[in-house]
Amino acid sequence: MKLKKVHAYVFVFPSLFLTLVFGIYPLLWALRYMFYDYQGFGTPVFIGLDNFTRILRDHQFWSSVGNTGIYALGKLLVTLPMSLILAIILNRKLKGRSLLRAIYYLPTIFSASVMAIVFFIIFNSYNGILNQLLLKYHLVSAPINWLGADHAMLTTIIIAIWGAIGNYMLLFLAGLQGIPNDLYEAASLDGANEFQKLKYVTIPMLGPVMQMIIMLAITISLKGYESIMVLTAGGPYGKTEVMYLYLFKLLFPVSGETQGLQQLGYGSAVGFTTALIVGGVTLIYFRISKKLNDVY
């Protein structure tokens, strides 16, 4: 019996150690230093709630909050319906459906940074592949500045949609395969057409799975910044700067777009505030989506 307990502790220890070192300790560190003025060197100076009062006056931060809302909403409104439609289509008995599933899922396994570099080549204003095609077929009279102030947010949303559809499609597909075929057969006997089956069988039975998928999609969309960092670094003029990118710049000012001193104290306060915003949005969603669990 004691040997079994030892084995259990041995298996649990690596996960527990990594959680403490890379999860709990950084969280406690940030919770401490958000009350300090600290640039990563010298002695931290306790300033109480000054970092939070600074956040209230920080127009750049609140602009990033607005940009995050636009980015997340634009991504979700297209990604989730398209993912569900693809899942429904690929759940049918089609020739080559396994290959199609793999093709649609493929973008999710690419690194966000690598994906952003590829799309930068496609959307480049001067010699990008997309502009060359549009000019070749006389669809535009001049190159479009896809990464300029007018189109940068739309471009980043398109790239985010391309990278996310396959992931949510797979989750919806798993939910669809858990719906008993007997329900569809009973609906057919009652004279239901395909749209009625979708409305009265598929969507209600997907309720709990859909609640989880939408929650996951919301949190990921609110926290996304990697591809934006590579494509635009938050520019031009802050048009694509989202919350987590702004936080990254405070903690790791390493590129030409993020010149300045490292602000670990203020960055910790911004990180805490950002977490509260994401958590608040998630809680609001859970309250609104309670009915999705009542389908059974």
Side-chain angles (χ1 to χ4, degrees):
M1 192 67 180
K2 289 183 179 180
L3 186 60
K4 288 183 178 180
K5 288 185 177 180
V6 171
H7 287 166
Y9 285 125
V10 168
F11 282 112
V12 169
F13 177 76
S15 297
L16 181 62
F17 175 77
L18 292 174
T19 301
L20 289 172
V21 173
F22 296 105
I24 305 300
Y25 173 73
L27 177 62
L28 295 175
W29 186 94
L31 289 175
R32 176 194 174 189
Y33 280 102
M34 66 185 182
F35 300 108
Y36 286 81
D37 180 14
Y38 184 45
Q39 280 77 43
F41 57 89
T43 304
V45 178
F46 181 78
I47 57 174
L49 298 175
D50 286 0
N51 281 329
F52 292 97
T53 57
R54 177 182 169 185
I55 288 174
L56 295 176
R57 301 189 303 268
D58 190 344
H59 298 293
Q60 189 175 357
F61 170 72
W62 293 110
S63 175
S64 73
V65 174
N67 289 338
T68 303
I70 295 170
Y71 173 79
L73 188 63
K75 178 182 175 182
L76 294 172
L77 288 177
V78 178
T79 302
L80 292 175
M82 286 188 66
S83 299
L84 178 58
I85 292 169
L86 281 175
I88 292 171
I89 294 172
L90 296 179
N91 192 44
R92 298 175 179 272
K93 294 180 180 179
L94 302 174
K95 288 184 179 180
R97 67 175 181 176
S98 296
L99 178 61
L100 290 173
R101 290 174 183 176
I103 291 172
Y104 284 116
Y105 183 73
L106 194 61
T108 64
I109 67 175
F110 293 146
S111 164
S113 300
V114 172
M115 184 175 70
I117 292 172
V118 172
F119 275 102
F120 180 81
I121 297 172
I122 294 173
F123 285 102
N124 190 284
S125 304
Y126 301 103
N127 56 358
I129 297 171
L130 180 58
N131 272 333
Q132 289 181 12
L133 288 173
L134 293 175
L135 290 169
K136 179 179 179 181
Y137 292 103
H138 306 289
L139 297 175
V140 295
S141 57
I144 298 173
N145 188 2
W146 294 106
L147 300 177
D150 294 333
H151 301 98
M153 180 59 77
L154 177 62
T155 302
T156 57
I157 290 173
I158 291 171
I159 295 169
I161 291 169
W162 179 85
I165 282 179
N167 186 37
Y168 301 123
M169 177 205 71
L170 195 67
L171 296 174
F172 277 123
L173 195 58
L176 288 170
Q177 292 179 351
I179 300 175
N181 286 327
D182 296 345
L183 296 176
Y184 292 108
E185 292 174 2
S188 297
L189 291 174
D190 288 337
N193 57 35
E194 292 300 318
F195 177 76
Q196 290 171 328
K197 290 178 185 177
L198 175 65
K199 182 179 179 181
Y200 295 109
V201 179
T202 303
I203 299 299
M205 291 299 295
L206 274 178
V209 174
M210 193 176 295
Q211 184 188 43
M212 182 272 295
I213 293 173
I214 296 174
M215 184 273 293
L216 185 65
I218 289 172
T219 54
I220 291 176
S221 298
L222 292 175
K223 293 166 62 179
Y225 72 94
E226 294 91 345
S227 60
I228 297 176
M229 181 172 63
V230 176
L231 275 171
T232 64
Y237 314 114
K239 294 289 186 179
T240 60
E241 187 158 82
V242 292
M243 289 188 295
Y244 276 82
L245 178 57
Y246 181 63
L247 174 61
F248 183 89
K249 290 180 177 182
L250 292 172
L251 299 177
F252 306 102
V254 294
S255 70
E257 292 287 339
T258 60
Q259 291 177 353
L261 289 174
Q262 194 175 37
Q263 302 182 58
L264 296 182
Y266 183 60
S268 298
V270 169
F272 180 76
T273 305
T274 301
L276 287 180
I277 293 172
V278 175
V281 172
T282 306
L283 288 175
I284 292 170
Y285 164 73
F286 267 123
R287 289 185 66 87
I288 295 173
S289 65
K290 277 184 177 180
K291 289 185 178 179
L292 289 175
N293 278 325
D294 297 336
V295 295
Y296 297 116

